[in-house]
Amino acid sequence: MDDLDLGVSELKDKLRDFKLAKNSFGLIFAHSETDFEELGTRLQKEFDFPIIGASAMSLFSGEEGYAKEGISFHVFTADDCSFAVGMTEEYTEDNYKTEIKRTYNSLKKDLGGWRPKLVLTYGVKNSKIPGDEVVDVLDSVGGGIPIFGGFCSDNFEFNECCVMLNSKVHRAGLVMVLFGGNIRPVLKGEFSVDTVADFVEVVTESDKNVVYKLGNKTMVEALLAAGFDLEGENLLMQFVGSPFLVTYTAPDGDEIQVVRHLDCIDFEKEAGVFLGSVPKGASIQLAMFSRKDVARSVARAIQSAIVDVANEHKYEYTSAIITSCVSRLMSFSNDIVDETRGYTSVVPPSIKFSGMYSYGEFCPKVSPASGKMHNCFHNMTFTFVVF
């Protein structure tokens, strides 16, 4: 990433003998200190297809498993699929819904008559827009088709995140790809929290991602009763290994279960601010996870998706994209191999993968009760899509 001439040359060399099909696009994940505008300009001179990109604190690499820095370049190509690629204008909390809908509808017209079957999207997180709302807008305009992706990340500066389309770079908004054609989505899910604490409450007062009351206690009172030291210096790290399992009822009556990470405390209002929405009436339970839990759950999820689905549908996958939460990276610190060992041990060598650690993940979830798919915003989660 420090020598873009060398970096682009290496990427070009790796693709030298790769035969492109009729339709193609490229996906870049790169460390947030990369000059994305210059990178996009140079790549456009070398490759005759659209290229999107997202900044990342750290990367997943099919060759190394985990890469602290660098650039990954993932090329999708097919004769029997079409890819419509675009980017919103830089949006705010006032116009993000309009921008997302406008971009989606514009790309839908570019699919050559094929119906959209999958949305791949990456964005810059706006602290005033809950991640759930971004997913909900896409879910609504897309008619419920699967949405995969997430918010890009940086070195916890929170102002260096960016998305890229060719040589154009935005520090707000989304890049988006609609997939049409011969695509047959198959969804799998594995619950990764095996240990829960003796803390079960019902949310009685909340507003989007801010929880004011659990039962008859304020959020602060409930956390103090659970043994949290809210006066500690590094409050955020206390919650990294103790996420909350949230169970709520969707508008269609289906039960949904997600993991939520507590971001900060509003002491003035005695409220807890989460990274994702926690609706009123939801059951909230304190969960615990260890490094061993993470590695085991990742391996189990990949085994289920790649091996079981391939056997069931007689399909040989060749490619995967990973999005994992930076909270998981924080919990492992310098020993991140504990997570990467979980998937490198089960991903077949024939499957090439890339990905990033994100500030929030977009991925469908299947209700265990009804089997229906729900597009959800996640954090503290490991997600991936295979092709």
Side-chain angles (χ1 to χ4, degrees):
M1 70 181 204
D2 295 324
D3 186 341
L4 292 183
D5 284 331
L6 178 60
V8 171
S9 176
E10 288 183 0
L11 296 174
K12 182 180 177 182
D13 187 63
K14 288 177 180 292
L15 285 165
R16 189 178 306 279
D17 299 324
F18 187 71
K19 183 174 175 57
L20 294 174
K22 180 180 178 182
N23 302 310
S24 304
F25 80 92
L27 172 60
I28 287 283
F29 296 116
H31 192 271
S32 55
E33 294 179 4
T34 303
D35 185 340
F36 279 84
E37 184 174 353
E38 183 65 21
L39 174 63
T41 299
R42 294 179 186 229
L43 288 173
Q44 275 294 284
K45 293 179 180 178
E46 302 291 346
F47 302 100
D48 188 25
F49 48 75
I51 298 170
I52 63 169
S55 65
M57 176 187 299
S58 297
L59 315 178
F60 292 97
S61 163
E63 295 181 352
E64 303 170 12
Y66 166 75
K68 174 63 178 174
E69 297 177 342
I71 301 169
S72 70
F73 187 29
H74 204 116
V75 177
F76 294 77
T77 188
D79 289 323
D80 56 354
C81 297
S82 180
F83 313 112
V85 183
M87 181 165 63
T88 67
E89 293 301 321
E90 294 196 344
Y91 61 50
T92 66
E93 59 270 28
D94 296 321
N95 70 350
Y96 74 95
K97 293 182 179 179
T98 301
E99 266 304 304
I100 292 173
K101 291 178 180 178
R102 181 194 64 77
T103 303
Y104 180 94
N105 287 325
S106 175
L107 295 182
K108 185 177 178 181
K109 296 176 182 178
D110 295 337
L111 274 179
W114 274 324
R115 178 173 59 88
K117 294 184 178 179
L118 171 73
V119 182
L120 181 68
T121 183
Y122 297 91
V124 178
K125 194 175 191 313
N126 184 319
S127 60
K128 297 181 179 180
I129 306 173
D132 305 75
E133 297 197 11
V134 172
V135 174
D136 288 347
V137 174
L138 271 172
D139 182 68
S140 175
V141 71
I145 65 174
I147 300 166
F148 185 87
F151 289 122
C152 47
S153 59
D154 60 12
N155 286 322
F156 289 118
E157 300 295 333
F158 301 109
N159 60 5
E160 295 181 349
C161 296
C162 68
V163 289
M164 174 192 89
L165 173 60
N166 300 328
S167 61
K168 189 175 182 180
V169 177
H170 280 342
R171 298 198 177 273
L174 298 170
V175 288
M176 191 184 307
V177 183
L178 302 190
F179 288 62
N182 186 20
I183 298 173
R184 300 178 299 277
V186 179
L187 303 171
K188 284 279 188 177
E190 289 289 340
F191 189 57
S192 61
V193 179
D194 294 327
T195 307
V196 291
D198 186 18
F199 178 98
V200 184
E201 300 282 355
V202 174
V203 178
T204 52
E205 186 179 343
S206 69
D207 181 20
K208 296 179 180 177
N209 62 321
V210 182
V211 175
Y212 297 99
K213 282 193 151 186
L214 299 178
N216 60 1
K217 299 186 288 289
T218 68
M219 187 71 191
V220 167
E221 289 172 339
L223 291 173
L224 288 173
F228 283 98
D229 177 12
L230 302 186
E231 296 182 358
E233 291 185 3
N234 199 344
L235 186 60
L236 179 62
M237 285 305 296
Q238 285 193 65
F239 303 125
V240 167
S242 304
F244 291 82
L245 175 62
V246 176
T247 306
Y248 65 94
T249 303
D252 62 1
D254 217 353
E255 184 179 275
I256 303 296
Q257 208 168 51
V258 293
V259 177
R260 288 284 178 257
H261 185 272
L262 188 57
D263 185 37
C264 65
I265 302 294
D266 184 335
F267 288 99
E268 182 178 344
K269 298 178 180 178
E270 294 195 49
V273 182
F274 288 81
L275 293 177
S277 294
V278 181
K280 180 180 178 180
S283 168
I284 186 168
Q285 188 170 14
L286 182 62
M288 313 293 291
F289 78 90
S290 66
R291 299 181 181 193
K292 184 178 179 181
D293 291 334
V294 170
R296 185 176 63 246
S297 66
V298 165
R300 189 171 61 205
I302 291 181
Q303 172 83 13
S304 173
I306 294 179
V307 179
D308 295 351
V309 173
N311 289 338
E312 181 180 347
H313 295 270
K314 305 303 178 187
Y315 186 81
E316 183 178 348
Y317 294 105
T318 59
S319 182
I321 301 293
I322 294 170
T323 314
S324 188
C325 184
V326 296
S327 296
R328 298 163 72 92
L329 178 65
M330 292 165 61
S331 68
F332 287 101
S333 186
N334 294 325
D335 200 17
I336 192 61
V337 293
D338 277 12
E339 177 172 22
T340 57
R341 190 180 293 121
Y343 58 83
T344 54
S345 62
V346 291
V347 175
S350 58
I351 294 181
K352 306 301 181 185
F353 63 86
S354 66
M356 68 167 184
Y357 280 97
S358 77
Y359 286 157
E361 303 79 56
F362 313 152
C363 188
K365 184 171 179 62
V366 178
S367 168
S370 68
K372 290 195 298 185
M373 185 204 83
H374 296 264
N375 284 309
C376 294
F377 173 72
H378 305 269
N379 42 79
M380 294 293 293
T381 306
F382 175 91
T383 64
F384 64 98
V385 57
V386 290
F387 299 90

